[in-house]
Amino acid sequence: MKNIFKIFVVVFLISMCFQLQTVVHADTSFSVDAKSAIAVEANSGKILYSQNSKDSSQKISSLTKLITAYMVYKNIAEGKLKMTDQVPISTYAYALTQGPAANVPLAEGESFSVQDLLNATLIYSSNSTCIALAEKIGGTEPKFVDQMKQQLKQWGITDENLVNSTGLANSDLPETNWYPGTTQDSENTMSADDLAIVAVHFIKDFPDVLKVTSQYESIFDANGSSNTAIYSTNSMLSEGSNPYLGLDGLKTSTTGFIATADQNNLRLVTVILSPSEDNSTNAIFTDTKSLLNEMFNTWNYYEITPAGIAIKNAEKVKIIDGKEEYADVVPTNEVSILSDTADNKYTLKINIDKNGIQAPLKKGQAIASITIQSNNKLGYLNGFSGHNIALVTTSAVYQANPIAVGWNHFIKFINENF
């Protein structure tokens, strides 16, 4: 009887241990209810979380407007457009203001500044102002969509399906304004991966966009007949109903949310597509908050080398025609790795021109760099390979006297030709 009791106790304890392990495993796992999701570090493009993020069949609706806005900033940077330029409203753009889609109350025949149209597009998610910008840049919306596609292709995005600049379904638009070759069922679709690429490029190339997307309220056409207050569709901004610390963008839609937040100098970008709770409005914020919380609680920077301290194998850079043959270099910032564990593994790539750098050089001049790449299995977004930090000179390097320079060039010529 005692043996039977002992056997029973042993079996019971083993069973309890197994159940305990199962519960612990369940508690430590993480997922969001959305169909697709991704979280990345905005500086390096490091992927921190991925859930069905390569599914390019996901409807993106108004998230499309972030690509349109990028094209606006790009055209401004290229000198083709100014924020103060006045943009006339076409019959098509005005007609949309009479429908159910989100729009500001444009006055027919009036022109508006690029800045006003951009604010309404990004803050209020206005469709008519988005189309006005597309027509201003492309001449027609379809031609602008071609430019959008070309930009995405430059970033390595080739599995998208774009049919307009706004994200509206063709079924919501007059057939005369459909993109050539599309049907009534056509809608913009992209993967969470690809939208993260767009967001990271936007923040890196034109960080001023955050000055727009962080606004909860703005005045549209302040000095015109269409003067109206517009409010952000992003309730996670500091003035919104569901504020989140450090969140300052980027774009909401009925089918998802591209968010960015900065806490303790760690800026994250998250993308949620097809959120939980039957795609309710609050679901995009619930899922985003859950994802951001998990990422900020899990990932941390771990120092490799302090700022101003030389990196092994990257202490010196060869100098051409200088009084010194080499220049001492140090990183401008702390060299650290983003990891989900203190036992992090990384690769350090030194980017130095082995042929040398031409003198003279100023103190603090960037003449090389290092790339820190995490060996975490999730890797990086397409087109990104790690966090780059400049290496700068610790002192000035002056050019050698003309006789020495001439002699050096003569010797180089002899060595290369004889």
Side-chain angles (χ1 to χ4, degrees), residues 42-89:
N43 198 348
S44 65
K46 175 76 187 76
I47 300 174
L48 312 182
Y49 177 83
S50 177
Q51 178 178 312
N52 189 37
S53 65
K54 296 185 182 299
D55 181 1
S56 60
S57 68
Q58 296 294 310
K59 297 176 182 179
I60 63 171
S61 55
S62 284
L63 300 181
T64 306
K65 294 182 176 76
L66 199 64
I67 310 172
T68 298
Y70 181 92
M71 299 301 294
V72 172
Y73 278 89
K74 181 181 179 182
N75 275 264
I76 290 173
E78 293 174 348
K80 301 175 182 177
L81 194 66
K82 296 192 294 290
M83 283 292 187
T84 55
D85 284 350
Q86 294 294 304
V87 181
I89 303 301

Side-chain angles (χ1 to χ4, degrees), residues 66 77 79 111 115 139-140 151 223 264 284-285 318 371 405 412:
L66 199 64
S111 295
Q115 184 70 75
T140 65
Q151 179 60 67
N223 299 313
N264 299 319
I284 61 172
F285 304 120
K318 183 180 179 181
T371 302
V405 170
K412 181 180 179 181

Side-chain angles (χ1 to χ4, degrees), residues 195-313:
L195 289 171
I197 291 172
V198 172
V200 171
H201 274 290
F202 208 151
I203 293 171
K204 290 174 73 69
D205 295 348
F206 307 114
D208 277 356
V209 67
L210 298 176
K211 295 179 181 179
V212 176
T213 60
S214 62
Q215 296 179 56
Y216 185 71
E217 179 182 2
S218 181
I219 301 298
F220 177 78
D221 193 31
N223 299 313
S225 55
S226 293
N227 179 303
T228 187
I230 55 176
Y231 296 90
S232 178
T233 55
N234 182 358
S235 73
M236 291 180 72
L237 294 175
S238 60
E239 298 173 67
S241 59
N242 188 27
Y244 189 86
L245 179 65
L247 192 138
D248 49 8
L250 281 165
K251 188 70 190 73
T252 65
S253 78
T254 55
T255 59
F257 183 21
I258 304 173
T260 183
D262 190 319
Q263 292 184 9
N264 299 319
N265 295 318
L266 170 58
R267 178 170 288 280
L268 302 182
V269 167
T270 60
V271 180
I272 293 289
L273 292 177
S274 297
S276 58
E277 301 176 20
D278 300 320
N279 291 341
S280 70
T281 302
N282 288 332
I284 61 172
F285 304 120
T286 301
D287 289 344
T288 296
K289 183 178 181 179
S290 175
L291 183 53
L292 283 171
N293 282 341
E294 180 69 16
M295 295 303 101
F296 278 124
N297 290 333
T298 302
W299 292 82
N300 294 285
Y301 284 115
Y302 295 90
E303 183 182 280
I304 299 173
T305 304
I309 302 299
I311 300 291
K312 185 178 180 181
N313 299 322

Side-chain angles (χ1 to χ4, degrees), residues 126-137:
S126 167
N127 293 291
S128 52
T129 56
C130 183
I131 288 172
L133 289 169
E135 292 174 334
K136 174 67 175 178
I137 294 172

